[in-house]
């Protein structure tokens, strides 16, 4: 950041629940982050007043503003499939932060992301169809909890959707994320715009 001589608001997306500036979860971070003030950890090296948010929330904001969820009213649920499962809830364009719905019980497993993430597919050596069936069951569980109007499916695995995306089944319409790995960056920028009143 110093090398770039940034004179603009900065947004930081983290794979954690960030509640009032404190990291409350660390499923895919070192456990030392639990209870850490993100601003204390990063604020001294970042100029201005950085904004911190969950990485799936950032991706969801980006897709709602510029991508697959643009101009969709009601509840848009972003699901990111990668190392874990991230979720973002966007209702009529507004973020409902810190929805850790990747950690619901599924198929008797206490934490869905352990069983259903893209990483789980690799670890278990699952074929695309078998994995897509697991993801479909996960989406069905979400539908029974919150009844979304649209699912936007992204995350690392969305860069190669052809082997699995057509096999997903849900009663809710499904769209593939459009912003790919840039979604978190764009969403963090959107959040700084919102926080600064721009």
């Amino acid at each position: 950041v110093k090398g770039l001589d940034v004179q603009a608001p900065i947004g930081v997306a983290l794979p954690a629940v960030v509640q009032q500036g404190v990291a409350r979860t660390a499923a895919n971070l070192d456990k030392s982050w639990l209870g850490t003030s993100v601003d204390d950890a990063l604020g001294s090296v970042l100029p201005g007043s950085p904004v911190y948010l969950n990485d799936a929330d950032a991706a969801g904001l980006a897709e709602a503003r510029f991508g697959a969820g643009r101009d969709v009213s009601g509840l848009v649920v972003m699901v990111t499939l990668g190392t874990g499962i991230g979720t973002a809830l966007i209702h009529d364009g507004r973020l409902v932060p810190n929805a850790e719905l990747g950690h619901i019980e599924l198929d008797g497993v206490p934490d869905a992301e352990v069983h259903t993430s893209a990483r789980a597919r690799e670890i278990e050596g699952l074929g695309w169809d078998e994995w897509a069936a697991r993801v479909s069951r996960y989406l069905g569980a979400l539908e029974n909890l919150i009844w979304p109007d649209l699912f936007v499916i992204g995350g690392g695995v969305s860069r190669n959707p052809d082997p699995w995306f057509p096999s997903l089944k849900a009663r809710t319409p499904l769209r593939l994320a459009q912003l790919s790995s840039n979604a978190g960056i764009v969403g963090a920028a959107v959040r700084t715009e919102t926080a600064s009143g721009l």
Side-chain angles (χ1 to χ4, degrees):
V1 171
K2 288 178 184 174
L4 296 173
D5 192 29
V6 172
Q7 301 297 319
I10 294 176
V12 178
L14 298 165
V17 166
V18 181
Q19 190 177 48
Q20 309 215 355
V22 176
R24 298 292 183 192
T25 63
N28 293 299
L29 283 175
D30 187 89
K31 300 303 180 213
S32 65
W33 277 93
L34 283 171
T36 296
S37 165
V38 181
D39 197 47
D40 287 350
L42 301 176
S44 63
V45 296
L46 297 175
S49 299
V51 174
Y52 308 102
L53 71 162
N54 174 270
D55 58 348
D57 285 348
L61 280 171
E63 289 292 337
R65 176 77 68 89
F66 303 108
R70 182 180 48 213
D71 299 326
V72 175
S73 60
L75 181 59
V76 175
V77 177
M78 174 85 186
V79 177
T80 60
L81 300 165
T83 304
I85 297 176
T87 55
L89 305 180
I90 311 292
H91 186 262
D92 289 339
R94 295 181 59 107
L95 174 67
V96 179
N98 296 319
E100 285 288 292
L101 297 175
H103 301 289
I104 64 171
E105 183 178 334
L106 182 69
D107 295 339
V109 177
D111 190 338
E113 81 172 17
V114 171
H115 181 65
T116 311
S117 66
R119 181 178 179 189
R121 186 194 75 78
E122 293 171 1
I123 289 171
E124 294 183 41
L126 299 176
W128 289 112
D129 287 340
E130 186 177 2
W131 180 69
R134 282 189 188 182
V135 174
S136 295
R137 287 194 302 275
Y138 170 73
L139 296 175
L142 290 184
E143 288 173 317
N144 291 335
L145 288 171
I146 56 177
W147 289 79
D149 295 289
L150 175 69
F151 280 123
V152 176
I153 310 296
V157 74
S158 68
R159 287 187 286 264
N160 181 26
D162 294 341
W164 59 272
F165 189 76
S167 300
L168 291 183
K169 306 265 186 288
R171 67 176 177 255
T172 301
L174 297 164
R175 291 186 188 167
L176 192 64
Q178 295 177 353
L179 301 175
S180 188
S181 58
N182 291 326
I185 297 166
V186 172
V190 167
R191 191 57 157 188
T192 63
E193 173 185 283
T194 305
S196 63
L198 297 176

